[in-house]
Structure formats: structure tokens, C-alpha cells
Amino acid sequence: LHHRLPEGVRMITTVHDSIIHAMPLEMLKPVAALIKHTAEHVPYHIFGARFDKVVMKVDQEVGTNWKDLKPLE
């Protein structure tokens, strides 16, 4: 995923099953869509044919800190 992110977007860290990114606010909607699509449509060659029918559901939240996270719609 990180090689597909536009300039100005940084992948900060991962925590359990979460990926934390930092980006300018004006980039939020298009980059969030890219991240969601990439996570939900992992090519089967990465996991193997056994997982090509597994539905990956991605929930996204946005905020300046953990306390203030709100669902991204």
C-alpha cells in the first residue's frame, strides 16, 4: 500500500489490525478511498487462492488523536 500513496501522505505505524496514516486534510477523502479499496481488494496471489472468496471489511476513522476519532463516511 505505501508505494501507492501520493506524496504528502505518510504511513505512521500499524497497531493490531489498524494502519495509522498522516496526511493533509484536503487529501483525506481520495486517499481514504484508495486505502479502503486496497485493503478490501487484496489480490489473491498475496494470500493464495484459498482466500480469494474472503470478504475484507474496512472501517475507517479520522481524528487528530485516539480520543477524538470519528467514523469516516
Side-chain angles (χ1 to χ4, degrees):
L1 170 63
H2 68 280
H3 67 278
R4 297 181 66 196
L5 297 174
E7 189 172 326
V9 179
R10 294 178 308 153
M11 186 182 301
I12 304 297
T13 191
T14 60
V15 179
H16 302 291
D17 62 350
S18 299
I19 305 171
I20 312 302
H21 291 86
M23 69 194 75
L25 190 57
E26 63 271 7
M27 298 177 84
L28 179 63
K29 294 269 183 178
V31 172
L34 170 68
I35 292 168
K36 183 176 176 98
H37 182 270
T38 302
E40 289 182 338
H41 299 92
V42 177
Y44 84 91
H45 70 272
I46 291 176
F47 288 124
R50 296 179 305 146
F51 294 95
D52 65 345
K53 302 290 188 227
V54 175
V55 176
M56 303 291 231
K57 182 177 179 324
V58 173
D59 296 316
Q60 294 178 306
E61 296 177 313
V62 63
T64 56
N65 60 57
W66 288 100
K67 178 183 172 205
D68 297 328
L69 290 178
K70 302 229 182 317
L72 180 63
E73 298 178 18

Coordinates of all heavy atoms in Angstrom, one line a residue:
L1 N 0.8 -1.2 0.0 CA 0.0 0.0 0.0 C 0.9 1.3 0.0 O 0.6 2.2 -0.7 CB -0.9 0.0 1.2 CG -1.7 1.3 1.5 CD1 -2.6 1.6 0.3 CD2 -2.5 1.2 2.8
H2 N 1.9 1.3 0.8 CA 2.7 2.5 1.0 C 3.2 3.1 -0.3 O 3.3 4.3 -0.5 CB 3.8 2.3 2.0 CG 4.9 1.4 1.6 ND1 4.8 0.1 1.6 CD2 6.1 1.7 1.0 CE1 5.9 -0.5 1.2 NE2 6.7 0.5 0.8
H3 N 3.6 2.2 -1.3 CA 4.1 2.7 -2.6 C 3.0 3.3 -3.5 O 3.3 3.9 -4.4 CB 4.8 1.5 -3.3 CG 4.0 0.4 -3.8 ND1 3.6 -0.6 -2.9 CD2 3.4 0.2 -5.0 CE1 2.8 -1.4 -3.6 NE2 2.6 -1.0 -4.8
R4 N 1.8 3.1 -3.1 CA 0.7 3.7 -3.9 C 0.2 5.0 -3.3 O -0.6 5.7 -4.0 CB -0.5 2.7 -3.9 CG -0.2 1.4 -4.6 CD -1.3 0.4 -4.7 NE -2.4 1.0 -5.5 CZ -3.6 0.6 -5.5 NH1 -4.0 -0.4 -4.7 NH2 -4.5 1.1 -6.4
L5 N 0.7 5.4 -2.2 CA 0.2 6.6 -1.5 C 0.9 7.8 -2.2 O 2.1 7.8 -2.5 CB 0.6 6.6 0.0 CG -0.1 5.5 0.8 CD1 0.4 5.5 2.2 CD2 -1.6 5.7 0.8
P6 N 0.1 8.9 -2.4 CA 0.6 10.1 -3.0 C 1.6 10.8 -2.1 O 1.6 10.6 -0.9 CB -0.6 11.0 -3.3 CG -1.7 10.5 -2.4 CD -1.3 9.0 -2.1
E7 N 2.4 11.7 -2.7 CA 3.4 12.5 -1.9 C 2.6 13.3 -0.9 O 1.5 13.9 -1.2 CB 4.2 13.4 -2.8 CG 5.3 14.1 -2.1 CD 6.2 14.8 -3.1 OE1 6.4 14.3 -4.2 OE2 6.7 15.9 -2.7
G8 N 3.1 13.4 0.3 CA 2.4 14.1 1.4 C 1.6 13.3 2.4 O 1.2 13.7 3.4
V9 N 1.5 12.0 2.0 CA 0.8 11.0 2.9 C 1.9 10.1 3.5 O 2.7 9.5 2.8 CB -0.2 10.2 2.1 CG1 -0.9 9.2 3.0 CG2 -1.3 11.1 1.5
R10 N 1.8 9.9 4.8 CA 2.8 9.0 5.5 C 2.0 7.9 6.2 O 1.1 8.2 6.9 CB 3.6 9.8 6.5 CG 4.5 10.9 5.9 CD 5.2 11.6 6.9 NE 4.3 12.1 7.9 CZ 4.5 12.4 9.1 NH1 5.7 12.2 9.6 NH2 3.6 12.8 10.0
M11 N 2.5 6.7 6.0 CA 2.1 5.6 6.9 C 2.9 5.6 8.1 O 4.1 5.5 8.1 CB 2.2 4.3 6.1 CG 1.6 3.1 6.9 SD 1.9 1.5 6.1 CE 1.1 1.7 4.5
I12 N 2.2 5.9 9.3 CA 2.9 6.1 10.5 C 3.3 4.8 11.2 O 4.4 4.6 11.5 CB 2.1 7.0 11.5 CG1 1.7 8.3 10.8 CG2 2.8 7.2 12.8 CD1 2.8 9.2 10.5
T13 N 2.3 4.0 11.4 CA 2.5 2.7 12.1 C 1.3 1.8 11.9 O 0.3 2.2 11.4 CB 2.8 2.9 13.6 OG1 3.3 1.7 14.2 CG2 1.6 3.4 14.3
T14 N 1.5 0.6 12.4 CA 0.3 -0.4 12.5 C 0.1 -0.7 13.9 O 1.1 -0.8 14.7 CB 0.6 -1.6 11.7 OG1 1.7 -2.3 12.2 CG2 0.8 -1.3 10.2
V15 N -1.1 -0.9 14.3 CA -1.4 -1.3 15.7 C -2.5 -2.4 15.6 O -3.6 -2.1 15.1 CB -2.0 -0.1 16.5 CG1 -2.4 -0.6 17.9 CG2 -1.0 1.0 16.6
H16 N -2.1 -3.6 15.9 CA -3.0 -4.8 15.7 C -3.5 -4.9 14.3 O -2.7 -5.1 13.4 CB -4.1 -4.8 16.8 CG -3.7 -4.7 18.2 ND1 -3.1 -5.8 18.8 CD2 -3.7 -3.7 19.1 CE1 -2.7 -5.5 20.0 NE2 -3.1 -4.2 20.2
D17 N -4.8 -4.6 14.0 CA -5.3 -4.7 12.7 C -5.6 -3.3 12.1 O -6.4 -3.1 11.2 CB -6.5 -5.6 12.6 CG -7.7 -5.1 13.4 OD1 -7.5 -4.1 14.2 OD2 -8.8 -5.6 13.3
S18 N -4.9 -2.3 12.6 CA -5.1 -0.9 12.2 C -3.8 -0.4 11.5 O -2.7 -0.8 11.9 CB -5.4 0.0 13.4 OG -6.6 -0.4 14.0
I19 N -4.0 0.5 10.6 CA -2.9 1.2 9.9 C -3.1 2.7 10.1 O -4.2 3.2 9.8 CB -2.8 0.9 8.4 CG1 -2.8 -0.6 8.2 CG2 -1.6 1.6 7.8 CD1 -2.9 -1.0 6.7
I20 N -2.1 3.4 10.7 CA -2.3 4.8 11.0 C -1.5 5.6 9.9 O -0.4 5.3 9.6 CB -1.6 5.1 12.4 CG1 -2.1 4.1 13.5 CG2 -1.9 6.6 12.8 CD1 -3.6 4.1 13.7
H21 N -2.2 6.6 9.4 CA -1.7 7.5 8.3 C -1.8 8.9 8.8 O -2.7 9.3 9.5 CB -2.4 7.3 7.0 CG -2.3 6.0 6.4 ND1 -3.1 4.9 6.7 CD2 -1.4 5.6 5.4 CE1 -2.7 3.9 5.9 NE2 -1.7 4.3 5.2
A22 N -0.9 9.7 8.3 CA -0.9 11.2 8.4 C -1.0 11.8 7.1 O -0.2 11.4 6.2 CB 0.3 11.7 9.2
M23 N -1.8 12.8 6.9 CA -2.0 13.5 5.6 C -2.6 14.8 5.8 O -3.3 15.0 6.8 CB -2.8 12.6 4.6 CG -4.2 12.5 5.0 SD -5.1 11.2 4.1 CE -4.5 9.8 5.0
P24 N -2.4 15.7 4.8 CA -3.2 17.0 4.9 C -4.7 16.7 4.7 O -5.1 15.8 4.0 CB -2.6 17.8 3.6 CG -1.3 17.1 3.3 CD -1.5 15.7 3.7
L25 N -5.5 17.5 5.4 CA -6.9 17.3 5.4 C -7.5 17.3 4.0 O -8.4 16.5 3.7 CB -7.6 18.4 6.2 CG -9.1 18.2 6.5 CD1 -9.3 16.9 7.2 CD2 -9.6 19.4 7.3
E26 N -7.0 18.1 3.1 CA -7.6 18.1 1.7 C -7.3 16.8 0.9 O -8.0 16.6 -0.1 CB -7.0 19.3 0.9 CG -5.5 19.3 0.7 CD -4.7 20.0 1.8 OE1 -5.3 20.4 2.8 OE2 -3.5 20.2 1.6
M27 N -6.5 16.0 1.4 CA -6.2 14.7 0.8 C -7.0 13.6 1.4 O -7.0 12.5 0.9 CB -4.7 14.4 0.8 CG -3.8 15.4 0.1 SD -2.1 14.9 0.4 CE -1.9 13.7 -0.9
L28 N -7.7 13.8 2.4 CA -8.4 12.8 3.2 C -9.3 11.9 2.4 O -9.2 10.7 2.4 CB -9.1 13.4 4.4 CG -9.9 12.4 5.3 CD1 -8.9 11.4 5.9 CD2 -10.7 13.1 6.3
K29 N -10.3 12.5 1.7 CA -11.3 11.7 1.0 C -10.7 10.8 -0.1 O -10.9 9.6 -0.1 CB -12.4 12.6 0.4 CG -13.2 13.3 1.5 CD -14.4 12.4 1.9 CE -15.2 13.3 2.9 NZ -16.4 12.6 3.3
P30 N -9.9 11.3 -1.0 CA -9.4 10.4 -2.1 C -8.4 9.4 -1.5 O -8.4 8.2 -2.0 CB -8.7 11.4 -3.1 CG -8.5 12.7 -2.3 CD -9.5 12.7 -1.3
V31 N -7.6 9.8 -0.6 CA -6.6 8.8 0.0 C -7.3 7.7 0.8 O -6.9 6.6 0.7 CB -5.5 9.5 0.8 CG1 -4.6 8.5 1.5 CG2 -4.7 10.4 -0.1
A32 N -8.3 8.1 1.6 CA -9.1 7.2 2.4 C -9.7 6.2 1.4 O -9.8 5.0 1.7 CB -10.1 7.9 3.2
A33 N -10.2 6.6 0.3 CA -10.9 5.7 -0.7 C -9.8 4.8 -1.2 O -10.1 3.6 -1.4 CB -11.5 6.5 -1.8
L34 N -8.6 5.2 -1.5 CA -7.6 4.4 -2.1 C -7.2 3.3 -1.0 O -7.0 2.1 -1.3 CB -6.3 5.2 -2.4 CG -5.1 4.4 -2.7 CD1 -5.2 3.7 -4.0 CD2 -3.9 5.4 -2.8
I35 N -7.0 3.7 0.2 CA -6.6 2.8 1.3 C -7.7 1.7 1.5 O -7.4 0.6 1.6 CB -6.4 3.6 2.6 CG1 -5.1 4.5 2.5 CG2 -6.2 2.6 3.8 CD1 -5.0 5.5 3.6
K36 N -9.0 2.2 1.5 CA -10.1 1.2 1.7 C -10.2 0.2 0.6 O -10.2 -1.0 0.8 CB -11.4 2.0 1.8 CG -12.6 1.1 2.1 CD -13.8 1.9 2.3 CE -15.1 1.1 2.5 NZ -15.4 0.8 3.9
H37 N -10.1 0.7 -0.7 CA -10.1 -0.2 -1.8 C -9.0 -1.2 -1.8 O -9.2 -2.4 -2.0 CB -10.1 0.6 -3.1 CG -10.3 -0.3 -4.3 ND1 -9.2 -0.8 -5.0 CD2 -11.3 -0.7 -5.0 CE1 -9.6 -1.5 -6.0 NE2 -10.9 -1.5 -6.0
T38 N -7.8 -0.7 -1.5 CA -6.6 -1.6 -1.5 C -6.8 -2.7 -0.4 O -6.5 -3.8 -0.7 CB -5.4 -0.8 -1.2 OG1 -5.2 0.2 -2.3 CG2 -4.1 -1.6 -1.2
A39 N -7.3 -2.3 0.8 CA -7.4 -3.3 1.9 C -8.5 -4.3 1.6 O -8.4 -5.4 2.0 CB -7.7 -2.5 3.2
E40 N -9.6 -3.8 0.9 CA -10.7 -4.7 0.7 C -10.6 -5.6 -0.5 O -11.3 -6.5 -0.7 CB -12.0 -3.9 0.6 CG -12.5 -3.3 1.9 CD -13.8 -2.5 1.8 OE1 -14.1 -2.0 0.7 OE2 -14.4 -2.3 2.8
H41 N -9.6 -5.2 -1.4 CA -9.4 -6.0 -2.6 C -8.0 -6.5 -2.8 O -7.3 -6.2 -3.8 CB -9.8 -5.1 -3.8 CG -11.3 -4.7 -3.8 ND1 -11.7 -3.5 -3.2 CD2 -12.4 -5.3 -4.2 CE1 -13.0 -3.5 -3.3 NE2 -13.4 -4.5 -3.9
V42 N -7.5 -7.1 -1.8 CA -6.2 -7.7 -1.8 C -6.1 -8.7 -2.9 O -6.9 -9.7 -2.9 CB -5.8 -8.3 -0.4 CG1 -4.4 -8.9 -0.5 CG2 -5.9 -7.2 0.7
P43 N -5.1 -8.6 -3.8 CA -5.0 -9.6 -4.9 C -4.8 -11.0 -4.3 O -4.1 -11.2 -3.3 CB -3.8 -9.2 -5.6 CG -3.6 -7.8 -5.3 CD -4.2 -7.6 -3.9
Y44 N -5.5 -12.0 -4.8 CA -5.5 -13.3 -4.2 C -4.1 -13.9 -4.3 O -3.7 -14.8 -3.4 CB -6.5 -14.3 -4.9 CG -6.0 -14.9 -6.2 CD1 -5.3 -16.1 -6.2 CD2 -6.1 -14.3 -7.4 CE1 -4.9 -16.7 -7.3 CE2 -5.7 -14.9 -8.6 CZ -5.1 -16.1 -8.5 OH -4.6 -16.7 -9.7
H45 N -3.2 -13.5 -5.2 CA -1.8 -14.0 -5.2 C -1.0 -13.7 -3.9 O 0.0 -14.3 -3.6 CB -1.1 -13.6 -6.5 CG -0.7 -12.1 -6.5 ND1 -1.6 -11.2 -7.0 CD2 0.4 -11.5 -6.1 CE1 -1.0 -10.0 -6.9 NE2 0.2 -10.2 -6.3
I46 N -1.5 -12.7 -3.2 CA -0.8 -12.3 -1.9 C -1.1 -13.3 -0.9 O -0.3 -13.8 -0.1 CB -1.2 -10.9 -1.5 CG1 -0.5 -9.9 -2.5 CG2 -0.7 -10.6 -0.1 CD1 -0.9 -8.5 -2.3
F47 N -2.4 -13.7 -0.7 CA -2.8 -14.7 0.3 C -2.9 -16.1 -0.3 O -3.0 -17.1 0.5 CB -4.1 -14.3 0.9 CG -4.0 -13.1 1.8 CD1 -4.8 -12.0 1.6 CD2 -3.2 -13.1 2.9 CE1 -4.7 -10.9 2.5 CE2 -3.1 -12.1 3.8 CZ -3.8 -10.9 3.5
G48 N -3.1 -16.2 -1.6 CA -3.3 -17.5 -2.2 C -4.7 -17.8 -2.6 O -5.6 -17.1 -2.1
A49 N -5.0 -18.7 -3.4 CA -6.3 -19.0 -3.9 C -7.3 -19.3 -2.8 O -8.5 -19.1 -3.0 CB -6.2 -20.1 -5.0
R50 N -6.8 -19.9 -1.7 CA -7.7 -20.2 -0.7 C -8.5 -19.0 -0.1 O -9.5 -19.2 0.5 CB -7.0 -20.9 0.5 CG -6.3 -22.2 0.1 CD -5.6 -22.9 1.2 NE -4.6 -21.9 1.8 CZ -4.3 -21.9 3.0 NH1 -4.8 -22.7 3.9 NH2 -3.4 -21.0 3.5
F51 N -8.0 -17.9 -0.3 CA -8.6 -16.7 0.3 C -9.3 -15.7 -0.7 O -9.7 -14.7 -0.3 CB -7.5 -15.9 1.1 CG -6.9 -16.6 2.3 CD1 -5.8 -17.3 2.2 CD2 -7.6 -16.5 3.5 CE1 -5.3 -18.0 3.3 CE2 -7.1 -17.2 4.6 CZ -5.9 -18.0 4.5
D52 N -9.4 -16.2 -1.9 CA -10.0 -15.3 -2.9 C -11.4 -15.0 -2.7 O -12.0 -14.1 -3.3 CB -9.7 -15.8 -4.3 CG -10.4 -17.1 -4.6 OD1 -10.8 -17.8 -3.7 OD2 -10.5 -17.4 -5.8
K53 N -12.1 -15.8 -1.8 CA -13.5 -15.5 -1.6 C -13.8 -14.9 -0.2 O -14.9 -14.6 0.2 CB -14.3 -16.8 -1.6 CG -14.2 -17.6 -2.9 CD -14.9 -16.9 -4.0 CE -15.0 -17.7 -5.2 NZ -14.6 -17.1 -6.4
V54 N -12.7 -14.6 0.5 CA -12.8 -13.9 1.8 C -13.2 -12.4 1.6 O -12.5 -11.7 0.9 CB -11.5 -14.1 2.7 CG1 -11.6 -13.3 4.0 CG2 -11.2 -15.5 2.9
V55 N -14.2 -12.0 2.3 CA -14.6 -10.6 2.2 C -13.9 -9.8 3.3 O -14.0 -10.2 4.5 CB -16.1 -10.5 2.4 CG1 -16.5 -9.0 2.4 CG2 -16.9 -11.2 1.3
M56 N -13.1 -8.8 2.9 CA -12.4 -8.0 3.9 C -13.2 -6.7 4.0 O -13.5 -6.0 3.1 CB -11.0 -7.6 3.3 CG -10.2 -8.8 3.0 SD -9.7 -9.7 4.5 CE -8.0 -9.8 4.3
K57 N -13.7 -6.4 5.2 CA -14.4 -5.2 5.5 C -13.5 -4.2 6.2 O -12.9 -4.6 7.2 CB -15.7 -5.5 6.4 CG -16.5 -4.3 6.6 CD -17.8 -4.7 7.4 CE -18.7 -3.5 7.7 NZ -18.1 -2.3 8.0
V58 N -13.5 -3.0 5.7 CA -12.6 -2.0 6.3 C -13.5 -0.9 6.9 O -14.4 -0.3 6.2 CB -11.7 -1.4 5.2 CG1 -10.9 -0.2 5.8 CG2 -10.8 -2.5 4.7
D59 N -13.3 -0.6 8.2 CA -13.9 0.6 8.8 C -12.8 1.6 8.9 O -11.6 1.3 9.3 CB -14.4 0.2 10.2 CG -15.5 -0.8 10.2 OD1 -16.4 -0.7 9.3 OD2 -15.4 -1.7 11.0
Q60 N -13.1 2.9 8.7 CA -12.2 4.0 8.8 C -12.6 5.0 9.8 O -13.8 5.3 9.8 CB -11.9 4.6 7.4 CG -11.3 3.7 6.4 CD -11.1 4.3 5.0 OE1 -12.1 4.8 4.5 NE2 -9.9 4.2 4.5
E61 N -11.7 5.5 10.5 CA -11.9 6.6 11.4 C -10.9 7.7 11.2 O -9.8 7.5 10.7 CB -11.8 6.1 12.9 CG -12.9 5.1 13.2 CD -12.7 4.6 14.7 OE1 -11.6 4.2 15.0 OE2 -13.7 4.5 15.4
V62 N -11.3 8.9 11.6 CA -10.4 10.1 11.3 C -10.4 10.9 12.6 O -11.4 11.1 13.3 CB -10.8 10.9 10.1 CG1 -12.2 11.5 10.3 CG2 -9.8 11.9 9.7
G63 N -9.3 11.5 12.9 CA -9.1 12.4 14.1 C -7.7 12.8 14.2 O -6.8 12.3 13.6
T64 N -7.5 13.8 15.1 CA -6.1 14.3 15.4 C -5.5 13.5 16.5 O -4.3 13.6 16.7 CB -6.1 15.8 15.7 OG1 -7.0 16.0 16.8 CG2 -6.6 16.6 14.5
N65 N -6.2 12.7 17.2 CA -5.7 11.8 18.2 C -6.7 10.7 18.5 O -7.8 10.7 18.0 CB -5.4 12.6 19.5 CG -6.6 13.2 20.1 OD1 -7.6 12.6 20.4 ND2 -6.6 14.6 20.2
W66 N -6.3 9.6 19.3 CA -7.1 8.5 19.5 C -8.4 8.8 20.2 O -9.5 8.3 19.9 CB -6.4 7.5 20.4 CG -5.2 6.8 19.8 CD1 -3.9 7.1 19.9 CD2 -5.3 5.6 18.9 NE1 -3.2 6.2 19.1 CE2 -4.0 5.3 18.5 CE3 -6.4 4.9 18.4 CZ2 -3.7 4.3 17.6 CZ3 -6.1 3.8 17.5 CH2 -4.8 3.5 17.2
K67 N -8.4 9.8 21.1 CA -9.6 10.2 21.8 C -10.7 10.8 20.9 O -11.9 10.6 21.2 CB -9.2 11.2 22.9 CG -10.4 11.7 23.7 CD -9.9 12.8 24.7 CE -11.1 13.4 25.4 NZ -10.8 14.7 25.8
D68 N -10.3 11.5 19.9 CA -11.2 12.2 19.1 C -11.6 11.5 17.7 O -12.1 12.2 16.8 CB -10.6 13.6 18.7 CG -10.5 14.5 20.0 OD1 -11.3 14.3 21.0 OD2 -9.6 15.3 20.1
L69 N -11.3 10.2 17.6 CA -11.6 9.5 16.4 C -13.1 9.5 16.1 O -13.8 9.2 17.0 CB -11.0 8.1 16.4 CG -9.5 8.0 16.3 CD1 -9.1 6.5 16.4 CD2 -9.0 8.6 15.0
K70 N -13.4 9.7 14.9 CA -14.8 9.6 14.5 C -14.9 8.8 13.2 O -14.0 8.8 12.4 CB -15.4 11.0 14.2 CG -15.3 12.0 15.4 CD -16.6 12.6 15.6 CE -16.6 13.6 16.7 NZ -16.0 13.4 17.9
P71 N -16.0 8.0 13.0 CA -16.1 7.3 11.8 C -16.0 8.1 10.5 O -16.6 9.2 10.5 CB -17.5 6.6 11.9 CG -17.8 6.6 13.3 CD -17.1 7.8 13.9
L72 N -15.3 7.7 9.5 CA -15.2 8.4 8.2 C -16.3 7.9 7.4 O -16.5 6.7 7.2 CB -13.8 8.1 7.6 CG -13.6 8.8 6.3 CD1 -13.6 10.3 6.5 CD2 -12.3 8.3 5.7
E73 N -17.1 8.8 6.8 CA -18.2 8.5 6.0 C -18.0 9.0 4.6 O -17.3 9.8 4.3 CB -19.5 9.0 6.5 CG -19.8 8.5 7.9 CD -21.0 9.1 8.5 OE1 -21.9 9.7 7.8 OE2 -21.2 9.0 9.7

